[in-house]
Amino acid sequence: MKHGKKYVDSIKLVDKSKLYDVNEAMDLAVKTKTAKFDETVEVHVRLGVDSRHADQQVRGAVVLPNGTGKTMRILVFAKGDAAKAAEEAGADFVGAEDLVAKIQGENWLDFDVVIASPDMMGLVGRLGKVLGPRGLMPTPKAGTVTPDVAKAVNEAKAGKIEYRLDKTNIIHCPIGKVSFGAEKLQENFDTLLGAIIKAQPAAAKGQYIRSCVVANTMGPGIKVNPSKLG
């Protein structure tokens, strides 16, 4: 595969054999930008757990102090006062049976976050096969099944992200845009890693954070020293 000149030049900035401190990694994530658009910076953390076991799951949500840089389209399943509160908080779509019918009938998925009041979960459960594989199914653990839907909407707009293990025991999360600059990216990184470390299962043995890589959308992977991550 042949890479463009800008990508080749950006690779030269990164020493593949080095484990960088967080501040150095964030600086490189900004410097290795090559695209004309504002690239997203992502973190990939491999954990020393086995996601096949229920007592070694790592999942939760955290509000990034500087947001994600992305405008989130928020769908809320609610009725009555809860629906009104969701609308007032700025949810993009609010409804119940009508939204279920639209998703099922039209394969409509023009939203990024799904929130539901607890009384709606019997209804939302019908969408498990559609929302589940896309990571959109509301859950109490992520704070997206809650009686306080207005608070959940506000948090989502403020930059709340969900982190969860994939089948290879890796967590993939965005921590902002290149335009944030290294300092704000590091603040978001520290907040995310702090939440992941706090969520360490009691059943996890040995080294918890095995590896950590940071990269912008079009740039090379930058290895972060896991021993400096708590």
Side-chain angles (χ1 to χ4, degrees):
M1 183 177 176
K2 191 174 181 181
H3 291 290
K5 183 178 182 298
K6 287 184 179 178
Y7 181 84
V8 172
D9 288 342
S10 72
I11 283 181
K12 292 176 183 174
L13 297 173
V14 180
D15 182 347
K16 285 189 175 181
S17 64
K18 182 175 178 179
L19 295 175
Y20 289 93
D21 287 345
V22 177
N23 62 323
E24 294 177 306
M26 296 305 133
D27 196 39
L28 282 170
V30 173
K31 286 180 178 176
T32 53
K33 176 189 183 304
T34 59
K36 291 180 180 178
F37 61 88
D38 193 6
E39 297 179 48
T40 297
V41 178
E42 289 195 345
V43 176
H44 310 276
V45 187
R46 183 184 294 276
L47 299 181
V49 297
D50 188 342
S51 61
R52 293 174 296 179
H53 299 291
D55 61 353
Q56 294 187 45
Q57 288 293 327
V58 179
R59 183 177 184 178
V62 63
V63 177
L64 299 180
N66 300 301
T68 62
K70 181 181 179 182
T71 302
M72 306 301 282
R73 296 166 300 174
I74 302 168
L75 183 154
V76 178
F77 287 101
K79 289 183 176 180
D81 290 343
K84 187 179 178 183
E87 287 172 355
E88 290 175 352
D92 299 278
F93 313 102
V94 181
E97 288 86 357
D98 55 329
L99 291 180
V100 171
K102 187 171 184 179
I103 292 168
Q104 287 180 327
E106 302 173 24
N107 198 28
W108 175 69
L109 293 163
D110 293 335
F111 44 85
D112 306 294
V113 179
V114 180
I115 295 164
S117 59
D119 59 311
M120 288 285 103
M121 286 310 293
L123 182 68
V124 180
R126 300 177 199 169
L127 301 172
K129 289 182 179 178
V130 179
L131 301 180
R134 293 170 174 81
L136 292 169
M137 194 68 183
T139 69
K141 200 161 189 177
T144 46
V145 176
T146 171
D148 193 347
V149 291
K151 181 184 177 184
V153 170
N154 287 327
E155 286 181 341
K157 286 188 173 293
K160 187 175 186 178
I161 60 167
E162 186 178 351
Y163 58 87
R164 60 191 295 183
L165 280 178
D166 67 9
K167 291 178 181 177
T168 60
N169 304 314
I170 299 175
I171 288 173
H172 310 271
C173 279
I175 56 164
K177 300 287 187 178
V178 167
S179 62
F180 284 18
E183 190 175 328
K184 286 186 176 180
L185 287 171
Q186 182 168 348
E187 288 173 0
N188 281 357
F189 176 93
D190 290 343
T191 299
L192 172 63
L193 265 290
I196 292 172
I197 290 166
K198 194 174 179 181
Q200 179 174 350
K205 306 297 180 187
Q207 186 178 351
Y208 180 51
I209 298 179
R210 296 286 174 87
S211 67
C212 179
V213 175
V214 175
N216 58 44
T217 306
M218 306 295 286
I222 303 154
K223 296 176 185 175
V224 180
N225 190 344
S227 67
K228 300 280 187 77
L229 300 176

